[in-house]
Every structure is written in structure tokens, then in C-alpha cells.
Amino acid sequence: DVKVTQSSRYLVKRTGEKVFLECVQDMDHENMFWYRQDPGLGLRLIYFSYDVKMKEKGDIPEGYSVSREKKERFSLILESASTNQTSMYLCASSLLSGLGRPQHFGDGTRLSIL
Amino acid sequence: AQKVTQAQTEISVVEKEDVTLDCVYETRDTTYYLFWYKQPPSGELVFLIRRNSFDEQNEISGRYSWNFQKSTSSFNFTITASQVVDSAVYFCALSDNAGGTSYGKLTFGQGTILTVHP
């Protein structure tokens, strides 16, 4: 079974801090994704990566950046956290031939910015 | 642009009732995939089913069934004889080429919160 592990289930940070959310997958998947989930809005794609050091913006990249130095690890960075970034963050991975491939998700990180 | 709409925000039923979750999608591509995911209170999204645009056969898996109709751009999900363990948020999602290489990006609906009461 694919395992996608997010480093924290709950995280509380302060406005202006630089925040790192880490995600690791163990199935050698090429694609990795970061979403945020907000009530009534579903999941919205922030960034994704299809290879090491490659990244593409999703639908809501503003205020975020990502890093993929190793194939198994995909980090989401909040450069200067703001209260409107309080949300649930979900990481996912899939095989490169992406169309039609299910994405496998981690448990999520519930992030609160005070 | 692709879009997925789950018009039902919340549904509440009593155990053993049947319940249908609606999903309507928009895409310009002729090749696409539709998915349903379940998110229990633990938070992880669990993949339930995938259907490609060329296969309109309905599917049944135990108490779950899915009705795909291209004519109405719908991919509805029915739970028969619901149980308390079915309580979760359910998401419908679309994967298409979006005019180029999509890398399998998913466009999600807003989600439907299903509560099954004992």
C-alpha cells in the first residue's frame, strides 16, 4: 500500500513566521501535490511537482512556495504566515502517467495561524 | 475550464436508508476520468472509484453503486442501506488534460457531508 506521511497532524504558528509542512511518500511516485481544504470550497491545488526540482503552480499559489529536493519528499512553505492561511493542508502523490491515476493522500495537517 | 459541482452541502439520514450523492462536472476534453473519495473524521482521503469517459457502465461494489451519465455530465454515488460508518465527507473529482499535459491534476467538488444517525 502507498503511504503518504505528513509530518504534523496539528500545527499552531504565529503571523509572519515562516512555516514548513513536510510530506513523504514511499512508493516512488513521480507526481506530488499540495492542496488546502476549506469548508464549502473542497480541495484546491496549491502546487504540484512531477519530478525532482520541478514544480508547477496550481490554482492558489500566492503566499506559498514548494521544494522538492528528493523524489520522495515534497515540502510546502508559507513564506510569511497570515491568518487567512489557517486551513487543512493535504499532500498527495501519484504515478507520472497521471491522467486516470488515483492520487494517494496523507492524513492532513491542520494549521492554525494566530 | 473544468469544474465539479456537488450541490448537496450536507445530508442527514437514518441508518438503513438509501442515500444518493450528486456530482455534476464540466470539461471540454473527450478523455477524462472521474473519481469519488471518502474523507472520514480521521482526515485522510480514501479513494473509492475511478471511471473513464469511455465507460458508461454503472458499477456496484457491495452497498455502493455509481451511475455515470455523459448525457447529463453526472456521476452520482448511491449508498444502499446506509450505516453509521458511512458518515464522512465525500468528494467527487475530475481529471482531464486541460488542453495539455495535466499530470493527473484533480479538480474537486465542494464535498458533501454525510451524517448517518443510528
Side-chain angles (χ1 to χ4, degrees), chain A residues 9 31 33 35 37 40-43 45 48 50 56 88 90 94 96 98-107, chain B residues 31-33 35 37 39 41-45 47 50 89 91 95-97 102-111:
Chain A
R9 291 299 304 272
N31 296 339
F33 306 84
Y35 295 89
Q37 180 182 357
L41 297 178
L43 276 72
L45 182 65
F48 70 99
Y50 54 89
E56 294 281 342
M88 169 77 116
L90 289 155
S94 71
L96 179 61
L99 187 65
R101 296 285 185 179
Q103 290 182 17
H104 301 269
F105 285 82
D107 289 344
Chain B
T31 302
Y32 53 89
Y33 286 79
F35 300 81
Y37 282 86
Q39 185 181 40
S42 58
E44 178 185 357
L45 266 75
F47 165 68
R50 172 189 62 191
V89 185
F91 290 97
S95 179
D96 64 12
N97 275 323
S102 74
Y103 299 104
K105 288 186 293 181
L106 292 175
T107 299
F108 284 86
Q110 301 90 325

Side-chain angles (χ1 to χ4, degrees), chain A residues 37-54:
Chain A
Q37 180 182 357
D38 300 288
L41 297 178
L43 276 72
R44 293 178 292 165
L45 182 65
I46 304 171
Y47 268 97
F48 70 99
S49 167
Y50 54 89
D51 200 355
V52 175
K53 297 192 186 297
M54 305 303 290

